[in-house]
């Protein structure tokens, strides 16, 4: 296997570079620019290096730079945006701040042949790209020549083909540079000559053997939530070390309609996985009783979860290892230019804290994967599409969808029924795959209605549906009004206790996806 190393200067879209490289079936990792050492790079043994964009200016005093040795490894280097500018500046060229900033779509004109554009862009033609820069290269280091220019950047693309050094002022990794993926493929496969053999099937085999090696004869516990990540971990571990694995499913009473039964059926019957089911709903509900503050609710649920999980783990005699569905975006070290910690918007619930408390080692077989790659691995492992394609569901469950009011069994049941109808109609309209996440929120308000000839005074619900790539940003989903009307009338007709349905048209930011 050969690798590509992406050196991160803090761009918002560095992860997209990694996505594009992996789409070429080439393995890659993202490392922060200030955590690079010669030994680490030699050990990783990359076929080529990509320098990401970033928010800094090479004209500023504390500019981040790439370690000089990177340019002396005899490897191809591609600098993107800030990556291009720092490469130019470190090699003796010039970068200046410019009045002509370019943000958004722009046209570049190709004026020289270059391996990066082979079979993609022709000389003397213009192409659409995505730009986002204030500074620009004004003088090239020796050995480089101009390959393309734009209105705002005389050196929109540059190359030193002898040394295989390339620089792009535009972002080939984003959607709005339509031929960007092909340009990156030319770099990774054509120029770096990285092997395109990183497939899910090969990943699966490697993951299974490395789990076997890590765990030896030890026992492993895996917390199942019914979500995609923990399900894929469980099935992978079952294939690797079947009889050393016990899965624990804690029913906190905050799951959706029929969800617990579905998970038990799938894992016990279909995969023959040893699964302990603990109904702890009474404890969770009694601790949540009267609590309305979102952070307090999250803390109660997180702590109770750890407590119950620990009890179950002790009942089965403990284990040396705890398996978790940590994904690559969770572990990529972010490059911070402010130096300060970021503001906590919500304390997300996971099983953090357990490994230290129980003195367990972690098994994290998905830590190199992005979410859609986890789905692909799930398919490779034979998980049904109904599980693999599931919308995300938050750890604290329905508790964070009953905002600002006491959580009771009655309200949970109303919300479950509404959610069930909503998702059912979305599936019937063939929209489930198009929507990233859809759910209902029970509002802390009763409204007046007229049903039959009688006055009603019942709860209102809000429906939410969003499109997103990673949950970090999201747009509200633009339903056809016919579909929305049908969903609304089914909910009011079929769910006792609801007489009004509203639709949430907030995007993220400024809203978050969940209401709490
Ligand atoms: P927000 O509401 O922060 O949600 O925009 C982004 C995504 O994360 C999910 N979410 C959670 N997932 N534990 C989880 O496992 C949590 O505590 C949690 N809170 C929110 C949310 O459903 C959305 O997909």
């Amino acid at each position: 296997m050969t690798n590509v190393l992406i050196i991160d200067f803090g761009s918002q879209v560095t992860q997209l570079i990694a996505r594009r490289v992996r789409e070429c079936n080439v393995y890659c990792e993202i490392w922060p620019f200030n955590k690079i050492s010669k030994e680490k790079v030699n050990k990783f043994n990359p076929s080529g290096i990509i320098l990401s964009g970033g928010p800094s200016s090479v004209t500023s005093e504390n500019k981040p730079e790439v370690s000089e040795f990177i340019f002396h490894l005899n490897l191809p280097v591609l600098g993107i945006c800030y990556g291009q500018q720092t490469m130019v500046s470190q090699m003796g060229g010039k970068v200046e701040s410019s009045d002509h900033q370019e943000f958004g779509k722009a046209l570049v004109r190709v004026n020289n042949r270059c391996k990066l554009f082979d079979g993609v862009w022709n000389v003397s033609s213009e192409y659409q790209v995505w730009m986002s820069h204030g500074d620009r290269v004004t003088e090239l280091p020796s050995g480089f020549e101009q390959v393309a220019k734009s209105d705002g950047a005389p050196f929109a693309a540059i190359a030193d083909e002898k040394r295989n050094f390339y620089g792009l002022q535009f972002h080939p990794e984003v959607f709005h540079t339509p031929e960007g993926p092909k340009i990156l493929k030319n770099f990774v496969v054509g120029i770096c000559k990285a092997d395109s053999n990183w497939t899910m099937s090969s990943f699966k085999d490697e993951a299974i053997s490395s789990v076997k090696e890590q765990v030896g004869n030890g026992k492993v516990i895996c917390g199942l939530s019914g979500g995609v990540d923990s399900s894929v971990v469980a099935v992978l571990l079952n294939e690797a070390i079947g009889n050393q694995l016990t899965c624990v499913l804690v029913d906190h009473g905050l799951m959706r309609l029929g969800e617990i039964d579905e998970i038990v059926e799938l894992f016990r019957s279909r995969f023959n996985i040893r699964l302990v089911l603990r109904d702890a709903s009474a404890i969770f509900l009694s601790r949540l009783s009267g609590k309305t503050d979102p952070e307090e609710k999250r803390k109660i649920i997180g702590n109770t979860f750890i407590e119950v999980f620990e009890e179950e783990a002790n009942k089965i005699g403990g284990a040396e290892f705890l398996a978790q569905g940590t994904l690559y975006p969770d572990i990529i070290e972010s490059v911070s230019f402010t130096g300060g910690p970021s503001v906590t918007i919500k304390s997300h619930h996971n099983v953090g804290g357990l490994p230290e408390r129980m003195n367990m080692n972690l098994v994290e077989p998905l830590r190199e994967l992005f979410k859609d790659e986890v789905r692909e691995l799930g398919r490779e492992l034979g998980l049904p599409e109904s599980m693999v394609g599931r919308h995300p569901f938050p750890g604290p469950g329905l508790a964070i969808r009953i905002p600002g009011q006491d959580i009771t069994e009655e309200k949970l049941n109303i919300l479950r029924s509404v959610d069930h109808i909503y998702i059912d109609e979305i599936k019937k309209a063939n929209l489930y795959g198009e929507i990233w996440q859809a759910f209902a929120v029970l509002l802390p308000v009763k409204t007046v209605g007229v049903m039959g000839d009688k006055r009603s005074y019942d709860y209102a619900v809000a429906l939410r549906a969003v499109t997103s790539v990673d949950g970090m940003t999201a747009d509200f989903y633009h339903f056809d009004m016919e579909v929305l009307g049908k969903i609304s009338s089914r909910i009011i007709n079929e769910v006792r206790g609801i007489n009004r349905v509203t639709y949430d048209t907030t995007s993220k930011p400024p809203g978050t996806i969940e209401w709490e």
Side-chain angles (χ1 to χ4, degrees):
M1 183 170 89
T2 50
N3 310 318
V4 164
L5 174 60
I6 298 164
I7 297 181
D8 185 25
F9 289 97
S11 160
Q12 298 288 325
V13 287
T14 304
Q15 286 194 24
L16 284 181
I17 306 176
R19 297 285 318 118
R20 300 284 167 260
V21 173
R22 290 192 182 185
E23 279 160 18
C24 304
N25 296 326
V26 171
Y27 183 71
C28 62
E29 288 188 10
I30 299 172
W31 297 1
F33 75 93
N34 51 358
K35 300 276 173 66
I36 309 281
S37 73
K38 211 168 182 172
E39 297 79 67
K40 267 174 68 185
V41 174
N42 284 339
K43 192 159 167 235
F44 187 57
N45 193 19
S47 313
I49 290 165
I50 298 177
L51 312 177
S52 87
S56 309
S57 167
V58 291
T59 60
S60 73
E61 223 169 86
N62 295 326
K63 58 191 181 227
E65 293 197 319
V66 65
S67 310
E68 284 290 333
F69 77 86
I70 289 291
F71 299 120
H72 303 288
L73 293 170
N74 221 0
L75 290 176
V77 180
L78 168 64
I80 296 174
C81 196
Y82 182 83
Q84 180 207 35
Q85 293 165 5
T86 194
M87 181 159 87
V88 164
S89 151
Q90 289 183 241
M91 290 182 150
K94 250 197 200 150
V95 177
E96 286 172 11
S97 296
S98 150
D99 294 338
H100 194 127
Q101 301 184 337
E102 279 181 308
F103 290 103
K105 282 183 195 169
L107 285 177
V108 293
R109 188 170 184 81
V110 180
N111 49 359
N112 251 316
R113 270 206 68 184
C114 155
K115 280 185 273 182
L116 216 45
F117 302 152
D118 268 358
V120 185
W121 283 355
N122 298 320
V123 177
S124 303
S125 299
E126 280 192 337
Y127 299 95
Q128 185 195 309
V129 297
W130 183 260
M131 292 274 194
S132 174
H133 68 108
D135 294 354
R136 60 184 191 175
V137 173
T138 52
E139 208 177 297
L140 295 182
S142 70
F144 278 84
E145 63 172 22
Q146 181 200 48
V147 189
K149 62 180 175 182
S150 72
D151 281 349
F155 300 106
I158 57 173
D160 173 346
E161 300 231 80
K162 272 212 187 94
R163 290 185 287 179
N164 280 324
F165 289 165
Y166 299 87
L168 301 175
Q169 183 54 69
F170 60 89
H171 287 269
E173 68 275 30
V174 307
F175 178 74
H176 300 284
T177 301
E179 277 90 22
K182 290 186 195 153
I183 293 171
L184 283 169
K185 188 170 184 182
N186 273 351
F187 179 70
V188 168
V189 179
I191 296 167
C192 300
K193 310 230 175 311
D195 292 333
S196 291
N197 58 7
W198 193 74
T199 60
M200 255 323 131
S201 156
S202 65
F203 177 86
K204 182 186 106 179
D205 296 341
E206 277 164 33
I208 288 177
S209 57
S210 80
V211 166
K212 280 185 181 158
E213 193 181 321
Q214 182 191 1
V215 167
N217 295 322
K219 284 206 281 181
V220 184
I221 289 187
C222 174
L224 257 189
S225 67
V228 181
D229 307 339
S230 67
S231 301
V232 171
V233 169
V235 177
L236 182 83
L237 259 59
N238 190 45
E239 243 188 87
I241 46 121
N243 51 18
Q244 293 155 252
L245 171 72
T246 307
C247 290
V248 176
L249 171 57
V250 175
D251 179 1
H252 51 19
L254 306 164
M255 302 290 249
R256 290 164 294 187
L257 195 68
E259 196 164 15
I260 293 286
D261 294 343
E262 279 167 30
I263 301 168
V264 172
E265 160 69 19
L266 179 67
F267 289 95
R268 278 203 189 135
S269 313
R270 189 144 166 201
F271 284 99
N272 198 20
I273 289 178
R274 190 183 303 138
L275 171 63
V276 174
L277 169 63
R278 165 77 181 275
D279 179 358
S281 47
I283 310 172
F284 279 89
L285 289 188
S286 79
R287 291 190 185 171
L288 285 170
S289 171
K291 307 290 185 208
T292 54
D293 177 74
E295 278 301 288
E296 195 182 0
K297 283 174 10 185
R298 281 172 176 275
K299 296 230 163 71
I300 292 172
I301 296 167
N303 292 338
T304 310
F305 186 89
I306 290 181
E307 210 178 294
V308 174
F309 192 90
E310 191 178 18
E311 276 171 28
E312 290 309 312
N314 288 338
K315 275 191 211 157
I316 56 171
E320 292 90 336
F321 296 93
L322 176 72
Q324 276 191 347
T326 314
L327 304 190
Y328 196 42
D330 304 329
I331 60 158
I332 294 174
E333 276 188 83
S334 56
V335 174
S336 163
F337 289 94
T338 54
S342 56
V343 180
T344 303
I345 307 288
K346 300 176 184 183
S347 335
H348 275 214
H349 157 97
N350 55 36
V351 282
L354 254 186
E356 299 81 33
R357 189 155 137 172
M358 297 185 63
N359 199 15
M360 284 194 282
N361 296 307
L362 283 178
V363 182
E364 298 177 311
L366 312 183
R367 52 186 285 125
E368 283 143 15
L369 301 185
F370 289 99
K371 187 88 179 178
D372 52 338
E373 292 172 332
V374 173
R375 295 203 157 108
E376 218 181 307
L377 177 62
R379 289 185 190 107
E380 194 71 41
L381 287 160
L383 273 163
E385 202 53 41
S386 56
M387 169 58 77
V388 171
R390 271 186 161 202
H391 289 175
F393 185 63
L398 300 180
I400 55 171
R401 296 178 180 172
I402 306 184
Q405 56 195 309
D406 197 17
I407 295 166
T408 62
E409 194 62 64
E410 185 209 356
K411 287 179 193 163
L412 283 165
N413 283 333
I414 292 177
L415 186 56
R416 280 191 189 105
S417 305
V418 172
D419 179 88
H420 188 69
I421 293 169
Y422 184 31
I423 300 297
D424 184 48
E425 285 300 323
I426 285 176
K427 285 184 177 161
K428 280 187 186 146
N430 262 331
L431 301 174
Y432 190 80
E434 221 174 281
I435 293 170
W436 198 73
Q437 194 172 8
F439 57 89
V441 178
L442 186 70
L443 301 178
V445 59
K446 284 192 169 185
T447 71
V448 173
V450 47
M451 286 168 110
D453 284 326
K454 291 202 186 110
R455 175 186 194 266
S456 67
Y457 187 57
D458 285 324
Y459 286 111
V461 279
L463 303 181
R464 181 120 172 92
V466 295
T467 53
S468 176
V469 177
D470 51 13
M472 304 294 287
T473 58
D475 286 328
F476 74 88
Y477 183 73
H478 295 240
F479 270 112
D480 178 316
M481 280 297 159
E482 290 271 315
V483 178
L484 212 46
K486 193 166 168 213
I487 295 169
S488 167
S489 76
R490 254 197 83 187
I491 291 171
I492 292 171
N493 285 330
E494 293 178 35
V495 185
R496 273 269 175 100
I498 298 291
N499 69 357
R500 194 172 296 269
V501 177
T502 63
Y503 186 61
D504 180 355
T505 54
T506 320
S507 290
K508 173 182 179 176
T512 51
I513 295 177
E514 302 287 346
W515 277 39
E516 285 195 332

